[in-house]
Amino acid sequence: MKIEYAAIEKCKSFREAVKSVCEEEKYLANTTGFTEEQTKDFVEKIVANHYSQFYAIENDKVIGWCDIIPRDQELHKHAGVLGMGIVAGFRNKGIGWQLLQAAINHARSNGIERIELEVYAGNRIAQKLYKKVGFKKEGVKRKGKKLNGKYEDVIIMGLINI
Ligand SMILES: CC(C)(COP(=O)(O)OP(=O)(O)OC[C@H]1O[C@@H](n2cnc3c(N)ncnc32)[C@H](O)[C@@H]1OP(=O)(O)O)[C@@H](O)C(=O)NCCC(=O)NCCS
């Protein structure tokens, strides 16, 4: 397994990894993934702006990712929003931890001072990993998620002085 910086050539494989985690319908805010065009636009923007995105690669395939994208507004640009996932079957092998380290180090060297994320209340494994890295719980969006008529709280976490 290798950790590599984002690349347009890996776009298709990145899209498939995201799709597979989305389709689990448990962890991410979308159940179907993104189109090829949406994914390409996203990765192109990342590469062009040197934003922080890393892939875990196994046999030339993306099996995990972590990105930290700076917020747009003038007074919020020092903060980055984190997203990540590991394809089922590759979890609990330390890959999430390694991806987080790579993305946080890169974001720090890009001037990011604060990282924020949202995680579903039932996703204890992700929360445990984020706490291990130093994230603190900052709030709760009560019933922030709704899927098939079922609600779940959304936990807001943040890491400062990275
Ligand atoms: C959450 C996720 C990114 C963690 O990545 P990972 O590669 O599985 O995690 P790691 O192997 O690096 O483990 C890091 C820590 O997470 C925790 N952890 C991981 N898998 C676990 C499991 N099955 N049971 C309990 N704790 C677990 C442990 O605290 C572990 O630390 P330890 O090694 O000291 O025990 C990954 O499980 C995943 O992609 N889940 C589905 C998508 C998702 O939740 N994305 C985040 C949305 S906010």
Side-chain angles (χ1 to χ4, degrees):
M1 195 280 300
K2 293 179 290 182
I3 304 283
E4 292 181 1
Y5 184 71
I8 309 293
E9 310 85 74
K10 293 279 189 300
C11 235
K12 251 190 160 160
S13 185
F14 166 56
R15 176 174 176 262
E16 278 159 26
V18 171
K19 188 169 183 282
S20 77
V21 180
C22 285
E23 285 176 348
E24 291 182 69
E25 299 192 352
K26 272 196 221 162
Y27 310 110
L28 302 181
N30 166 329
T31 60
T32 53
F34 300 89
T35 64
E36 278 189 26
E37 200 182 353
Q38 285 170 325
T39 306
K40 193 164 162 277
D41 288 349
F42 182 56
V43 176
E44 275 177 356
K45 191 172 172 195
I46 285 170
V47 173
N49 292 286
H50 309 289
Y51 292 159
S52 309
Q53 184 181 59
F54 288 83
Y55 302 142
I57 310 278
E58 177 98 348
N59 295 327
D60 228 30
K61 273 187 148 177
V62 174
I63 50 98
W65 75 93
C66 179
D67 41 57
I68 300 171
I69 310 297
R71 294 188 56 184
D72 282 335
Q73 292 155 304
E74 183 189 348
L75 308 194
H76 298 177
K77 278 184 197 292
H78 67 298
V81 179
L82 185 142
M84 71 182 300
I86 311 293
V87 172
F90 295 94
R91 295 178 187 154
N92 204 16
K93 297 172 189 286
I95 298 172
W97 168 264
Q98 289 183 59
L99 278 169
L100 270 171
Q101 300 306 322
I104 292 171
N105 287 335
H106 188 272
R108 181 188 303 117
S109 67
N110 263 348
I112 292 292
E113 296 170 54
R114 167 186 160 82
I115 302 174
E116 49 201 41
L117 62 85
E118 292 188 352
V119 54
Y120 297 137
N123 192 353
R124 297 283 175 197
I125 292 174
Q127 288 168 51
K128 197 172 160 196
L129 174 58
Y130 297 141
K131 279 185 191 148
K132 212 167 93 173
V133 175
F135 280 83
K136 298 264 188 289
K137 181 173 168 178
E138 296 183 332
V140 183
K141 290 185 181 178
R142 293 167 301 157
K143 289 189 163 184
K145 172 190 172 193
K146 184 179 181 185
L147 179 64
N148 300 328
K150 273 186 76 179
Y151 297 95
E152 188 175 357
D153 289 348
V154 178
I155 310 290
I156 300 163
M157 299 184 84
L159 178 69
I160 56 170
N161 305 324
I162 70 166

